[in-house]
């Protein structure tokens, strides 16, 4: 898990992970402010452990998810920053390793049906209610820029431009990446009006500013 810098009010942590725990570190001292045991052996039926998604946060809440039919969890940080409690869990929004994005109170991304299949999901951040779960090509990564989502599904390399919409999966247009080899697992990156997509040994750059 790539770490994330968390800042809210007087609280400032580095959110990182071991194989089993989410850990909040005080940047200035390295002291562990709190830790949360996310992985529990009695709830895991897969061989090995993969937890690849960086936590996302909003105010005093942190969302973590890891795929494989393992519950995603919304955590609420204690007012004094000494620990966390579970606000809710989601059996639907188990994102594999593609990341999720929070926009206007809703979390968007894909979930895990099996290693080769997943749907796209929108979830209410506050309640955990699943607003929709839609099949589009396959599970994949998601980034957000200038009011739009860019989806990159992992199996065939389809790229979708999508409106953030909690009422439906609102696809504007799509195309397919044909260069490169292997799974489409490299996350899209956007900088200076350009969309960077890597597939295997090939890097493609698209002008999206116009």
């Amino acid at each position: 898990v790539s770490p994330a810098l968390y800042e809210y009010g007087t609280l400032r942590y580095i959110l990182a992970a071991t194989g089993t725990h989410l850990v909040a570190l005080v940047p200035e001292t390295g002291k562990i402010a709190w830790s949360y045991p996310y992985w529990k052996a009695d709830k895991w039926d897969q061989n090995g452990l993969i937890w690849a998604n960086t936590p996302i946060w909003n105010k005093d809440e942190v969302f973590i998810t890891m795929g494989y039919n393992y519950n995603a969890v919304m955590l609420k940080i204690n007012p004094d920053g000494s620990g966390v409690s579970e606000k809710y869990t989601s059996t639907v929004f188990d994102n594999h390793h593609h990341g999720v994005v929070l926009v206007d109170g809703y979390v968007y991304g894909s979930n895990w049906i099996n290693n080769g299949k997943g749907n796209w999901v929108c979830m209410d951040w506050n309640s955990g209610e699943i607003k929709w779960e839609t099949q589009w090509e396959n599970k994949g990564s998601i980034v957000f820029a200038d009011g739009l989502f860019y989806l990159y599904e992992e199996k065939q390399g389809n790229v979708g431009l999508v409106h953030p919409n909690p009422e439906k999966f609102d696809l504007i247009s799509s195309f397919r990446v044909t260069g490169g080899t292997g799974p489409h697992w490299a996350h899209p990156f956007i900088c200076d009006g350009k969309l960077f997509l890597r597939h295997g040994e090939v890097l493609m750059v698209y002008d999206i500013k116009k």
Side-chain angles (χ1 to χ4, degrees), residues 63-65 70-74 88-95 100-101 105-113 119-135 165-169:
F63 181 67
I64 52 178
T65 178
Y70 196 80
N71 283 358
V73 179
M74 181 68 75
Y88 61 78
T89 63
S90 174
T91 59
V92 175
F93 208 168
D94 55 334
N95 186 270
V100 297
V101 178
Y106 297 93
V107 188
Y108 298 83
S110 62
N111 67 4
W112 185 92
I113 305 300
N119 296 327
W120 296 88
V121 179
C122 172
M123 183 185 76
D124 187 306
W125 175 277
N126 290 320
S127 67
E129 176 189 1
I130 301 299
K131 303 301 292 184
W132 46 258
E133 180 184 1
T134 300
Q135 182 178 0
N165 188 340
E167 302 302 321
K168 65 178 181 178
F169 181 82

Side-chain angles (χ1 to χ4, degrees), residues 37-196:
Y38 185 30
W39 180 79
K40 300 173 178 66
D42 61 339
K43 296 183 179 180
W44 187 258
D45 60 1
Q46 301 288 324
N47 293 323
L49 175 67
I50 298 174
W51 177 5
N53 288 319
T54 296
I56 63 172
W57 59 273
N58 182 44
K59 298 181 179 178
D60 60 347
E61 296 175 338
V62 180
F63 181 67
I64 52 178
T65 178
M66 65 188 298
Y68 299 100
N69 282 337
Y70 196 80
N71 283 358
V73 179
M74 181 68 75
L75 300 172
K76 192 170 186 67
I77 301 176
N78 299 345
D80 64 357
S82 62
V84 293
S85 59
E86 292 185 5
K87 182 179 179 181
Y88 61 78
T89 63
S90 174
T91 59
V92 175
F93 208 168
D94 55 334
N95 186 270
H96 193 187
H97 55 73
H98 306 95
V100 297
V101 178
L102 171 65
V103 175
D104 296 332
Y106 297 93
V107 188
Y108 298 83
S110 62
N111 67 4
W112 185 92
I113 305 300
N114 56 53
N115 274 347
K117 182 180 179 182
N119 296 327
W120 296 88
V121 179
C122 172
M123 183 185 76
D124 187 306
W125 175 277
N126 290 320
S127 67
E129 176 189 1
I130 301 299
K131 303 301 292 184
W132 46 258
E133 180 184 1
T134 300
Q135 182 178 0
W136 179 74
E137 303 298 346
N138 206 346
K139 57 188 169 71
S141 52
I142 180 172
V143 296
F144 180 74
D146 294 330
L148 296 172
F149 291 122
Y150 294 79
L151 314 184
Y152 186 28
E153 67 91 10
E154 67 174 24
K155 198 167 187 178
Q156 299 297 326
N158 291 287
V159 180
L161 185 65
V162 175
H163 279 300
N165 188 340
E167 302 302 321
K168 65 178 181 178
F169 181 82
D170 195 358
L171 181 69
I172 300 169
S173 62
S174 65
F175 69 93
R176 183 179 173 187
V177 170
T178 57
T181 57
H184 298 261
W185 282 348
H187 290 202
F189 184 80
I190 294 174
C191 181
D192 193 26
K194 297 179 178 62
L195 170 66
F196 294 79

